[in-house]
Amino acid sequence: MNQLLTSMFALAVASVTAVSAHAQEIKGDAKAAEQKIAMCIGCHGIKGYQASFPEVYRVPMISGQNAKYIVSALNAYKKGERKHPTMRGIADSLSEQDMADLGAYYEQHAKVEPVTKTPKAPDAKVAALLQKGACISCHGDNFNKPIDPSYPKLAGQHKDFLFVALKSYKTENQSTWGRNNGVMGGIAKQFSNAELKAMSAYIASLDGEMKVVPQSKFR
């Protein structure tokens, strides 16, 4: 790992430690979240549902995602570090307890067996890209076990969403789109969009622990 990536990795670990310590102060209640998910299921509870801004892509699978990551992502929207208008509006309406409850709910929502087998190896080109980005250092060898639960599981996630998310870290000076994160921004900017797309396709092809669980508002 070069000096730049080493510095970014150290910053990432420090940031995760701070977020994790804060998240531990509030315990999520999955049962309580059953009364709070109406704003989520209209997109994340429909198989194949696509967002259309700033381009068409499938919304991410969140059932089975790490609870602490869900809280971290929602806080990033609330603080304006992630600028998607719809998600910012939703996050603004949530208290810290609401976020913790939603995280607890969706972490246990997928009900799938943990992936333990070794993932299939990427081709040489993608392997070099993943090594350049030091992706495994944070997201784990199988992309299902990140070094800290405040980081997302990635394996099996929709490839079009992964691509759009990675590109968003390269987007600057936009009021309604982009993600401000020093670590991910520094990593994503090393790659062309074609390279990000190749990495996204490989990660999406892996066995994952997330899925879309169809849900209806009328229950």
Side-chain angles (χ1 to χ4, degrees):
M1 199 184 300
N2 61 35
Q3 185 174 358
L4 172 62
L5 289 177
T6 301
S7 298
M8 290 194 296
F9 180 70
L11 175 62
V13 172
S15 299
V16 166
T17 301
V19 170
S20 298
H22 178 70
Q24 288 173 0
E25 298 172 7
I26 301 175
K27 184 174 179 60
D29 184 339
K31 187 68 176 176
E34 293 178 3
Q35 307 304 315
K36 304 176 182 181
I37 60 172
M39 68 189 78
C40 307
I41 61 181
C43 295
H44 298 284
I46 302 175
K47 284 191 174 182
Y49 188 86
Q50 294 179 316
S52 58
F53 177 81
E55 61 188 84
V56 176
Y57 62 94
R58 284 169 292 177
V59 300
M61 292 180 278
I62 59 174
S63 293
Q65 183 59 271
N66 290 326
K68 288 183 180 179
Y69 169 70
I70 291 175
V71 172
S72 176
L74 287 170
N75 271 310
Y77 284 114
K78 190 166 189 173
K79 294 175 183 177
E81 295 167 359
R82 296 188 180 190
K83 302 175 185 179
H84 190 283
T86 302
M87 285 303 304
R88 285 197 68 183
I90 290 171
D92 280 343
S93 72
L94 300 174
S95 68
E96 291 190 355
Q97 184 64 61
D98 292 335
M99 294 181 190
D101 292 346
L102 291 171
Y105 177 86
Y106 278 108
E107 183 176 69
Q108 54 80 46
H109 194 230
K111 296 182 175 65
V112 297
E113 292 297 319
V115 174
T116 57
K117 65 181 181 181
T118 302
K120 67 178 182 181
D123 62 32
K125 179 182 176 181
V126 172
L129 296 175
L130 295 172
Q131 183 175 14
K132 179 180 178 181
C135 304
I136 290 173
S137 298
C138 290
H139 296 286
D141 289 335
N142 62 4
F143 290 93
N144 282 306
K145 295 291 182 289
I147 60 168
D148 186 278
S150 292
Y151 285 149
K153 298 177 182 179
L154 298 179
Q157 185 61 270
H158 301 310
K159 64 181 180 181
D160 48 352
F161 167 73
L162 290 173
F163 176 53
V164 167
L166 286 168
K167 281 198 302 181
S168 73
Y169 289 111
K170 299 168 63 176
T171 301
E172 298 179 336
N173 303 317
Q174 296 291 325
S175 61
T176 58
W177 183 251
R179 297 184 179 188
N180 297 329
N181 181 290
V183 175
M184 284 302 303
I187 291 172
K189 289 171 186 175
Q190 299 179 88
F191 301 102
S192 69
N193 286 346
E195 289 172 331
L196 293 178
K197 185 171 286 188
M199 295 162 68
S200 299
Y202 167 71
I203 294 170
S205 74
L206 302 177
D207 292 329
E209 299 176 2
M210 298 175 291
K211 65 179 181 179
V212 177
V213 179
Q215 294 172 276
S216 172
K217 292 182 180 180
F218 305 104
R219 294 183 297 168

